[in-house]
Amino acid sequence: MKSPVVKRSIVVAGHKTSVSLEEAFWNGMKEISGLRNMTLSELVGEIDSNRQQGNLSSAIRLFVLDYFRTRAMPPAAPDAPRPQA
């Protein structure tokens, strides 16, 4: 069975690196970079510089998940209690 994960090369801060991502995460990253008027390399560089731990592929998945999860949530009422994480 073929893995849905695809290894791709990208230049980050002038250095070529590779990330292994499912197509959905790669497409999500392309959508986000387009909405933010930045290149994929710039977006990956930002994700890379802000990650706390783990590998770059995992950091990208978490970034994309958080981005779309945040957009899908309705705005909270000013006095509504916030859900605990």
Side-chain angles (χ1 to χ4, degrees):
M1 184 171 150
K2 186 179 177 198
S3 171
V5 176
V6 178
K7 191 171 201 172
R8 302 172 197 273
S9 294
I10 191 162
V11 177
V12 179
H15 295 83
K16 189 174 182 179
T17 190
S18 62
V19 293
S20 297
L21 293 171
E22 295 79 2
E23 192 72 23
F25 287 104
W26 184 258
N27 290 337
M29 202 169 52
K30 289 190 331 189
E31 183 178 338
I32 295 165
S33 67
L35 291 168
R36 294 174 73 180
N37 295 317
M38 56 194 325
T39 67
L40 277 173
S41 292
E42 290 169 336
L43 180 60
V44 173
E46 180 181 305
I47 294 167
D48 188 38
S49 66
N50 290 325
R51 71 182 161 129
Q52 302 294 316
Q53 59 192 6
N55 66 44
L56 182 56
S57 296
S58 294
I60 290 170
R61 286 185 190 93
L62 292 172
F63 174 85
V64 172
L65 176 65
D66 182 64
Y67 181 88
F68 287 107
R69 181 185 286 165
T70 302
R71 287 183 60 194
M73 293 174 57
D79 57 347
R82 296 196 177 251
Q84 305 242 339

